[in-house]
Amino acid sequence: MTEFALDLNDDQKAVREWIHGFAADVMRPAAAEWDEREETPWPIIQEAAKIGLYSLDFYAQQFFDPTGLGIPMAMEELFWGDAGLALSIVGTGLAAVGVLANGTEEQVGTWIPQMYGDVSDVKVAAFCSSEPDAGSDVSAMRTRAVYDQAKDEWVLNGTKTWATNGGIANVHVVVAVVDPELGARGHASFIIPPGTPGLSQGQKFKKHGIRASHTAEVVLEDVRVPGSCLLGGKEKLDERLARAREGGKRTGGNAAMATFEASRPAVGAQAVGIARAAYETALDYARTRVQFGRPIIDNQGVAFQLADMRTQIDAARLLVWRASWMAATRRPFTSAEGSMSKLFAGETAKAVTAQAMQILGGNGYTREYPVERMHRDAAIYTVFEGTSEIQRLVIARTLSGMTIR
């Protein structure tokens, strides 16, 4: 069993420096342009693919790091570079995690490589769970999947929303209702292969932040997929549904929640990266900005803010690393440690970027400095993959054992 440690080994340090170099040299110079364009930054993804950063091999190596720190370390450095560009690079990972969490070995080997493509023809993937009337309340999901036994096909109908890479993805992973009477326990995940008729992109959203990342609706109209596209297989699904109908407490979990629970510490690491970038910008500014004959960092009002910012960032990173290590070593989240890490890191990113804008004063409010963009990017981290309120609900239920509403 891998012991928890705060020191990265030499290999991890080398990877961190490699990613940091890409973030500093490729991402940061392009960040403002793609934020303004609000388009998928294919050239940046291509550059990441050329060096092996956008690839199945790289993420597999980090995912299977026995310390659990490979993924959060990579996420922090990429999002230190720029959140919008980074999300375009790592957005495919959520769909990949969906397959890893729910799929068979054959499905993992078949579909995850197609999500990334190759250096000469990069692809992206999308995980589709949220709906116009079902965000935090997954039990309100309406997208249906009906089994056509005669053809061994599933027929999907519905509309998904807030899907990263939705509509432009090579592979879509869609969570749908297979048994409405079971609520959230009656959901399953499906692979929608490339070029499947009936899947189309709906509205593309113009967002407050992370604007280089494509976010859109995905419309499913009589989408037919082979039975082999049901993640985990029909036998496993039928067993799980039977247990749920009998009132059993252990049903194998909800398909969407299994994906989100696995990814929450990684999302927390993204928020840490944004917060760290804003803090470093504010620190450099405070050291060089002279007012009343001295650098503004000489004033307690500014210095104490920076002290608090750094303390919050380090605390958030420690929560993320703990949850990541626990997940890698298969220790149960008995106190909802995954949700704790995402909650605290998201709130930290939002607070720290706001403080950075305040330290920069009027300059912080302009697009001449990056903290304005960082502040916009950070706002989503108290919303997506479980709002802060939902994280608190998960934590409170876990601690109390009560059904808190």
Side-chain angles (χ1 to χ4, degrees):
M1 187 70 72
T2 303
E3 295 298 324
F4 181 69
L6 295 175
D7 289 328
L8 299 177
N9 59 42
D10 290 342
D11 288 342
Q12 290 170 325
K13 290 177 182 178
V15 170
R16 182 180 62 184
E17 291 304 310
W18 173 60
I19 300 172
H20 186 83
F22 179 83
D25 299 338
V26 178
M27 296 175 67
R28 284 203 163 183
E33 175 190 349
W34 289 101
D35 179 72
E36 291 286 348
R37 291 174 64 167
E38 298 190 55
E39 298 174 358
T40 300
W42 291 108
I44 305 299
I45 300 174
Q46 181 80 48
E47 289 299 312
K50 285 180 181 178
I51 65 169
L53 182 55
Y54 182 77
S55 70
L56 172 60
D57 287 345
F58 171 74
Y59 287 106
Q61 289 173 9
Q62 303 314 309
F63 185 84
F64 291 110
D65 180 339
T67 70
L69 302 185
I71 289 293
M73 177 190 66
M75 292 294 178
E76 180 176 337
E77 294 306 321
L78 285 170
F79 282 76
W80 172 90
D82 177 70
L85 295 178
L87 196 56
S88 292
I89 293 172
V90 308
T92 292
L94 186 58
V97 169
V99 176
L100 283 169
N102 301 294
T104 64
E105 289 186 9
E106 181 180 357
Q107 289 169 331
V108 169
T110 298
W111 295 110
I112 294 184
Q114 295 187 48
M115 294 179 175
Y116 289 92
D118 54 42
V119 176
S120 62
D121 186 20
V122 293
K123 304 292 186 182
V124 294
F127 182 77
C128 308
S129 176
S130 294
E131 298 183 2
D133 296 318
S136 298
D137 182 11
V138 295
S139 64
M141 192 177 293
R142 295 179 181 176
T143 295
R144 287 294 310 277
V146 178
Y147 185 57
D148 183 342
Q149 187 171 0
K151 295 184 178 180
D152 186 26
E153 292 180 339
W154 288 89
V155 185
L156 285 79
N157 283 279
T159 300
K160 294 296 181 178
T161 193
W162 310 120
T164 298
N165 298 329
I168 66 170
N170 192 47
V171 176
H172 291 76
V173 177
V174 175
V175 182
V177 178
V178 294
D179 190 333
E181 294 182 0
L182 294 177
R185 295 182 297 169
H187 296 174
S189 293
F190 298 85
I191 292 286
I192 312 298
T196 301
L199 184 147
S200 62
Q201 179 183 308
Q203 175 188 5
K204 178 186 174 183
F205 295 103
K206 296 180 72 66
K207 305 188 299 294
H208 176 65
I210 54 170
R211 300 198 304 194
S213 174
H214 176 96
T215 310
E217 291 180 330
V218 174
V219 181
L220 304 137
E221 297 179 306
D222 291 328
V223 172
R224 285 183 169 268
V225 297
S228 60
C229 287
L230 166 64
L231 289 180
K234 194 167 187 305
E235 182 178 348
K236 183 178 178 181
L237 172 65
D238 288 343
E239 291 175 356
R240 177 165 61 84
L241 295 179
R243 291 196 300 271
R245 294 186 190 104
E246 292 169 0
K249 294 182 179 180
R250 295 183 63 84
T251 63
N254 172 270
M257 290 300 101
T259 301
F260 291 140
E261 191 60 32
S263 64
R264 274 173 182 156
V267 175
Q270 297 172 9
V272 171
I274 298 170
R276 191 183 109 211
Y279 158 76
E280 290 176 1
T281 301
L283 178 62
D284 289 344
Y285 185 88
R287 285 170 170 164
T288 58
R289 175 67 168 174
V290 175
Q291 291 287 277
F292 305 104
R294 61 182 182 178
I296 62 174
I297 198 171
D298 284 356
N299 299 299
Q300 285 188 359
V302 173
F304 284 7
Q305 282 193 75
L306 289 163
D308 287 343
M309 291 159 73
R310 176 60 185 266
T311 300
Q312 290 171 318
I313 292 166
D314 281 12
R317 183 184 298 107
L318 287 171
L319 285 171
V320 166
W321 281 20
R322 179 184 69 169
S324 300
W325 171 77
M326 289 178 68
T329 55
R330 300 188 181 279
R331 284 171 165 79
F333 288 166
T334 55
S335 300
E337 287 86 353
S339 291
M340 283 184 183
S341 68
K342 196 270 182 182
L343 167 66
F344 191 81
E347 294 289 347
T348 293
K350 196 170 180 178
V352 166
T353 54
Q355 287 175 295
M357 287 182 64
Q358 190 69 24
I359 289 171
L360 268 68
N363 286 328
Y365 198 67
T366 71
R367 295 189 181 180
E368 297 300 315
Y369 288 80
V371 292
E372 176 271 340
R373 185 177 68 253
M374 294 169 186
H375 184 56
R376 287 189 285 107
D377 292 340
I380 195 63
Y381 283 86
T382 61
V383 178
F384 73 173
E385 291 207 44
T387 64
S388 289
E389 291 73 22
I390 288 296
Q391 305 304 330
R392 292 185 176 100
L393 187 63
V394 171
I395 296 165
R397 285 177 174 175
T398 303
L399 297 178
S400 68
M402 306 294 289
T403 306
I404 299 170
R405 299 183 183 276

